[in-house]
Amino acid sequence: MDKTDLANYPALTYKDNQVSIQLNFQGAREYSKMSFPVKYGLFSRMETDKIVLEFNMNHEIKHAKAKTLDWLHPSEWLKRTVGNDWVYYSTGGYAGVYEALGEYYLPNLMYQTNCLLGGRPFETTQVAKISSQWDKILSEIDTNKRPIPTTIAQWLEKIKTITTGDLAQKAEKLFNITGARTTVLPPDARHSDYDIIPITIQDGCLYKCRFCKIKNKKAFIERSRQNINDQILALKSLYGKDLINYNAIFLGEHDGLNAPMDLILYAAQTAFEQFKFINAYMKKPMLYFFGSVDALLKADDRLFYRLNELPFHTCINIGLESADDTTLSLLGKPVSARKVKKAFDRMQTINQNFAQIEMTCNFVMDKDLPASHNQAMLDLIRKKIPRTRPKGSVYLSPLQFGNPSRQILFDFYHLKTQSLLPMFLYIIQRL
Ligand code: SF4
């Protein structure tokens, strides 16, 4: 988006002794890793002495935080996702958040996940109140008693007509377009602050591993081009005016890499054109998907050459889980350690040869796994790599949900110090 297009979104401010309003505020245009709160995209803000509420270009609430003393921390905030979850971004109260996640802020989720860090912000009064009753709080802000410029008054009217129920319905509509809720996003989606547009190019997965909590019953099946076109058109209308704030897509579901090469490229290119990413407010378009060991081993080399030429930076996350046969069998994952090692080698080759592609992988972690699991993983991430590399993150995914553990966190840091690849924790996050 250049200056001419930005002129279509004129900034406007209004202030009286009760409320201050900024329309079309220009936030950061590139996702970055900062130790202070950064807001991205074009949005509008309303602020009183008690609360800050921010709205996207569809007049839907996007961020909120209280300014009262009972708010947990002045630089922490709530963000509402397009799937209508609230996420509380905390500093973690803990110096190790960046080392553990690769991000300065820890996303605290409303639902149970495998995170080892963080507290229970949704049990505090202000976070619980804002996330469930923001529309009531908004309706109680008195904006009627004085003359207000027409543009501001119209904006106020629009934000007040959208209720929590409307947003829940809209999220359902999103899940219907893609066929189901995205129950897990790749860990790499953190590079876009999880602000992605999901497009389902295939359903299900190949393995149906016993340990996996996010799998569904669907056998692997690819979608047709027509179906992908229909999704893109419906998504375009659903994201509406806020589409300009997006430049990242997730090609779901659990094994996008196993879809035919032409279908992957078709979905990515069509989305780029239809969503007009060339004109997005956010810079650096990103493409994310998952892949399985078998999908990676059989993938045509041409796919990577062609992905590398797309106007996206592509992150493909491979679920390796373990390079140890005993552990794979305990997990009920029907692949051999030999194949996992081959897949790992191919990931390194791709990472070395394609500047616009990053292959990342996941390994599970749990205190009850055999010692041979960590040993086999370290053999890959230490012995197979000649020196420290900045590309090709390894994510460790705790097996247990809802069970933060200092011991497992300690084990993670111990492994991290030994890895020659960047290593982070994988927090399972849905859309
Ligand atoms: S880990 Fe991946 S392949 Fe295995 S069941 Fe879960 S989604 Fe399917």
Side-chain angles (χ1 to χ4, degrees):
M1 183 180 281
D2 58 23
K3 277 188 184 159
T4 328
D5 291 316
L6 266 177
N8 295 325
Y9 303 93
L12 191 60
T13 55
Y14 168 81
K15 194 168 172 23
D16 60 32
N17 54 11
Q18 287 191 35
V19 67
S20 113
I21 292 170
Q22 293 171 284
L23 298 193
N24 298 331
F25 182 84
Q26 294 182 15
R29 301 191 66 171
E30 227 172 279
Y31 293 101
S32 55
K33 319 286 176 202
M34 293 292 177
S35 58
F36 53 87
V38 180
K39 299 290 171 51
Y40 303 103
L42 272 175
F43 62 92
S44 297
R45 177 183 286 145
M46 171 191 247
E47 185 166 355
T48 69
D49 58 344
K50 293 197 180 64
I51 197 163
V52 181
L53 301 171
E54 291 171 349
F55 298 82
N56 69 19
M57 302 307 282
N58 293 328
H59 305 98
E60 297 153 347
I61 190 144
K62 179 86 182 173
H63 300 114
K65 71 174 214 176
K67 291 166 74 179
T68 45
L69 287 175
D70 52 353
W71 188 250
L72 290 167
H73 191 285
S75 1
E76 299 181 347
W77 70 98
L78 274 164
K79 172 181 170 183
R80 195 186 62 86
T81 69
V82 70
N84 202 36
D85 281 328
W86 284 96
V87 181
Y88 183 84
Y89 281 81
S90 73
T91 56
Y94 182 83
V97 169
Y98 184 77
E99 285 70 23
L101 305 180
E103 304 293 322
Y104 283 99
Y105 281 89
L106 168 69
N108 294 264
L109 308 173
M110 300 165 77
Y111 45 91
Q112 241 191 26
T113 184
N114 60 348
C115 188
L116 299 176
L117 306 161
R120 296 175 191 271
F122 287 94
E123 290 176 11
T124 64
T125 315
Q126 283 289 4
V127 175
K129 190 173 166 198
I130 294 179
S131 55
S132 61
Q133 295 175 39
W134 61 268
D135 51 351
K136 185 164 176 286
I137 297 170
L138 176 62
S139 70
E140 286 165 0
I141 298 175
D142 175 18
T143 50
N144 295 324
K145 289 196 182 136
R146 52 211 164 260
I148 283 184
T150 315
T151 313
I152 301 276
Q154 286 168 344
W155 178 80
L156 282 168
E157 204 182 310
K158 284 183 183 152
I159 59 166
K160 286 187 175 183
T161 58
I162 298 175
T163 63
T164 49
D166 295 332
L167 295 178
Q169 265 183 21
K170 188 165 178 180
E172 281 304 319
K173 211 170 158 189
L174 170 69
F175 308 149
N176 288 335
I177 291 171
T178 53
R181 175 169 220 161
T182 301
T183 52
V184 57
L185 286 165
D188 312 303
R190 67 190 174 88
H191 300 308
S192 300
D193 202 21
Y194 298 91
D195 284 332
I196 53 93
I197 304 178
I199 302 169
T200 304
I201 61 167
Q202 56 75 216
D203 294 279
C205 66
L206 295 178
Y207 305 139
K208 308 298 173 203
C209 316
R210 199 167 51 240
F211 80 97
C212 176
K213 292 193 174 69
I214 52 93
K215 64 178 174 281
N216 54 38
K217 294 203 166 102
K218 294 180 251 178
F220 181 94
I221 187 161
E222 73 212 41
R223 298 280 183 103
S224 66
R225 285 187 180 210
Q226 185 57 52
N227 179 279
I228 289 167
N229 287 341
D230 293 346
Q231 287 183 61
I232 290 174
L233 284 184
L235 289 164
K236 207 171 152 180
S237 149
L238 184 109
Y239 280 73
K241 291 191 173 142
D242 204 41
L243 196 55
I244 53 163
N245 282 322
Y246 287 82
N247 69 346
I249 50 177
F250 164 58
L251 299 180
E253 197 174 34
H254 300 148
D255 195 356
L257 185 59
N258 197 48
M261 171 174 75
D262 287 346
L263 196 72
I264 298 172
L265 296 165
Y266 176 78
Q269 276 161 332
T270 312
F272 187 87
E273 284 156 24
Q274 287 290 329
F275 296 149
K276 297 194 169 52
F277 278 170
I278 198 146
N279 221 16
Y281 180 80
M282 296 303 293
K283 296 176 183 168
K284 281 202 180 170
M286 298 292 290
L287 175 65
Y288 301 103
F289 51 101
F290 286 114
S292 62
V293 167
D294 280 285
L296 177 58
L297 292 180
K298 75 173 171 49
D300 190 323
D301 273 337
R302 288 174 301 165
L303 171 67
F304 302 102
Y305 282 101
R306 292 178 63 188
L307 282 172
N308 202 47
E309 285 164 3
L310 291 182
F312 288 102
H313 183 82
T314 298
C315 293
I316 309 172
N317 179 252
I318 308 293
L320 298 180
E321 323 307 355
S322 181
D324 168 49
D325 277 321
T326 311
T327 308
L328 287 163
S329 146
L330 279 171
L331 295 172
K333 185 157 190 113
V335 293
S336 64
R338 188 183 59 83
K339 272 191 175 181
V340 169
K341 289 171 192 167
K342 268 179 85 178
F344 181 84
D345 288 344
R346 188 158 194 211
M347 287 173 49
Q348 306 316 310
T349 310
I350 295 166
N351 279 338
Q352 297 295 300
N353 290 312
F354 298 99
Q356 292 307 314
I357 303 176
E358 179 168 11
M359 305 287 307
T360 67
C361 65
N362 307 328
F363 284 93
V364 294
M365 68 180 305
D366 192 80
K367 61 179 176 25
D368 293 333
L369 291 175
S372 50
H373 167 62
N374 282 351
Q375 193 49 57
M377 178 176 71
L378 287 171
D379 284 348
L380 293 181
I381 61 179
R382 269 194 81 77
K383 296 189 183 157
K384 286 252 187 172
I385 309 281
R387 65 191 76 82
T388 307
R389 284 183 185 157
K391 190 177 172 192
S393 294
V394 174
Y395 291 94
L396 297 195
S397 181
L399 277 181
Q400 301 207 16
F401 275 47
N403 191 16
S405 153
R406 278 190 178 273
Q407 179 58 47
I408 299 182
L409 195 56
F410 179 80
D411 293 346
F412 163 76
Y413 285 122
H414 185 60
L415 289 166
K416 185 179 168 93
T417 55
Q418 298 175 72
S419 175
L420 293 178
L421 292 170
M423 182 178 271
F424 302 107
L425 283 173
Y426 183 4
I427 303 177
I428 305 259
Q429 190 161 337
R430 71 187 183 190
L431 187 63

Short mmCIF file of all heavy atoms in Angstrom, two decimals, residues 205-209 211-212 214-215 254 321 333, ligand 1:
data_model
loop_
_atom_site.label_atom_id
_atom_site.label_comp_id
_atom_site.label_asym_id
_atom_site.label_seq_id
_atom_site.Cartn_x
_atom_site.Cartn_y
_atom_site.Cartn_z
N CYS A 205 -5.19 -36.17 7.85
CA CYS A 205 -3.73 -36.40 7.82
C CYS A 205 -3.47 -37.88 7.51
O CYS A 205 -4.40 -38.68 7.48
CB CYS A 205 -3.10 -35.99 9.14
SG CYS A 205 -3.63 -37.01 10.53
N LEU A 206 -2.20 -38.23 7.33
CA LEU A 206 -1.86 -39.59 6.89
C LEU A 206 -1.80 -40.60 8.02
O LEU A 206 -2.09 -41.77 7.82
CB LEU A 206 -0.46 -39.58 6.22
CG LEU A 206 -0.30 -38.80 4.93
CD1 LEU A 206 1.16 -38.88 4.46
CD2 LEU A 206 -1.21 -39.36 3.84
N TYR A 207 -1.39 -40.15 9.23
CA TYR A 207 -0.97 -41.16 10.21
C TYR A 207 -1.95 -41.48 11.34
O TYR A 207 -1.92 -42.55 11.88
CB TYR A 207 0.36 -40.71 10.85
CG TYR A 207 1.46 -40.43 9.88
CD1 TYR A 207 2.32 -39.34 10.06
CD2 TYR A 207 1.69 -41.25 8.78
CE1 TYR A 207 3.35 -39.08 9.20
CE2 TYR A 207 2.73 -40.98 7.89
CZ TYR A 207 3.56 -39.90 8.10
OH TYR A 207 4.58 -39.63 7.24
N LYS A 208 -2.74 -40.49 11.75
CA LYS A 208 -3.63 -40.68 12.91
C LYS A 208 -2.86 -41.24 14.13
O LYS A 208 -3.21 -42.28 14.70
CB LYS A 208 -4.81 -41.62 12.57
CG LYS A 208 -5.60 -41.22 11.33
CD LYS A 208 -6.27 -39.87 11.48
CE LYS A 208 -6.91 -39.42 10.20
NZ LYS A 208 -7.09 -37.98 10.10
N CYS A 209 -1.80 -40.53 14.48
CA CYS A 209 -0.92 -40.97 15.58
C CYS A 209 -1.70 -41.06 16.90
O CYS A 209 -2.53 -40.19 17.19
CB CYS A 209 0.22 -39.98 15.77
SG CYS A 209 0.96 -39.46 14.23
N PHE A 211 -0.81 -40.50 19.99
CA PHE A 211 -0.58 -39.47 21.02
C PHE A 211 -1.27 -38.14 20.69
O PHE A 211 -1.48 -37.31 21.56
CB PHE A 211 0.94 -39.19 21.14
CG PHE A 211 1.46 -38.27 20.07
CD1 PHE A 211 1.61 -36.90 20.31
CD2 PHE A 211 1.76 -38.75 18.81
CE1 PHE A 211 2.07 -36.04 19.32
CE2 PHE A 211 2.21 -37.89 17.80
CZ PHE A 211 2.37 -36.54 18.06
N CYS A 212 -1.66 -37.95 19.43
CA CYS A 212 -2.04 -36.62 18.95
C CYS A 212 -3.42 -36.19 19.45
O CYS A 212 -4.40 -36.90 19.26
CB CYS A 212 -1.99 -36.60 17.42
SG CYS A 212 -2.54 -35.05 16.71
N ILE A 214 -4.92 -33.28 18.49
CA ILE A 214 -5.60 -32.35 17.58
C ILE A 214 -6.11 -33.04 16.30
O ILE A 214 -6.73 -32.40 15.46
CB ILE A 214 -4.71 -31.14 17.22
CG1 ILE A 214 -3.33 -31.56 16.70
CG2 ILE A 214 -4.52 -30.23 18.40
CD1 ILE A 214 -3.24 -31.68 15.25
N LYS A 215 -5.84 -34.33 16.19
CA LYS A 215 -6.23 -35.01 14.94
C LYS A 215 -7.76 -35.10 14.84
O LYS A 215 -8.48 -34.96 15.83
CB LYS A 215 -5.63 -36.41 14.88
CG LYS A 215 -6.12 -37.36 15.96
CD LYS A 215 -5.51 -38.73 15.80
CE LYS A 215 -5.84 -39.67 16.93
NZ LYS A 215 -5.08 -39.50 18.15
N HIS A 254 -3.86 -30.54 8.12
CA HIS A 254 -2.69 -31.00 8.89
C HIS A 254 -1.50 -31.45 8.06
O HIS A 254 -0.45 -31.78 8.59
CB HIS A 254 -3.11 -32.13 9.85
CG HIS A 254 -4.15 -31.69 10.83
ND1 HIS A 254 -5.11 -32.52 11.35
CD2 HIS A 254 -4.38 -30.47 11.38
CE1 HIS A 254 -5.88 -31.84 12.17
NE2 HIS A 254 -5.46 -30.59 12.21
N GLU A 321 8.43 -35.47 15.44
CA GLU A 321 8.06 -36.01 16.77
C GLU A 321 9.21 -36.76 17.47
O GLU A 321 9.49 -36.51 18.62
CB GLU A 321 6.83 -36.94 16.75
CG GLU A 321 5.72 -36.56 15.80
CD GLU A 321 5.18 -35.15 15.89
OE1 GLU A 321 5.60 -34.41 16.78
OE2 GLU A 321 4.35 -34.77 15.05
N LYS A 333 3.08 -43.45 16.29
CA LYS A 333 3.29 -42.73 15.02
C LYS A 333 3.87 -43.73 14.01
O LYS A 333 5.00 -44.21 14.20
CB LYS A 333 4.25 -41.56 15.23
CG LYS A 333 4.39 -40.74 13.96
CD LYS A 333 4.84 -39.33 14.24
CE LYS A 333 4.72 -38.50 12.98
NZ LYS A 333 3.74 -37.47 13.03
S1 SF4 B 1 0.59 -35.66 14.69
FE1 SF4 B 1 0.05 -34.96 12.62
S2 SF4 B 1 -0.03 -36.85 11.42
FE2 SF4 B 1 -0.14 -37.48 13.56
S3 SF4 B 1 -2.34 -37.59 14.00
FE3 SF4 B 1 -1.66 -35.53 14.59
S4 SF4 B 1 -2.10 -34.30 12.77
FE4 SF4 B 1 -2.12 -36.44 12.11
#
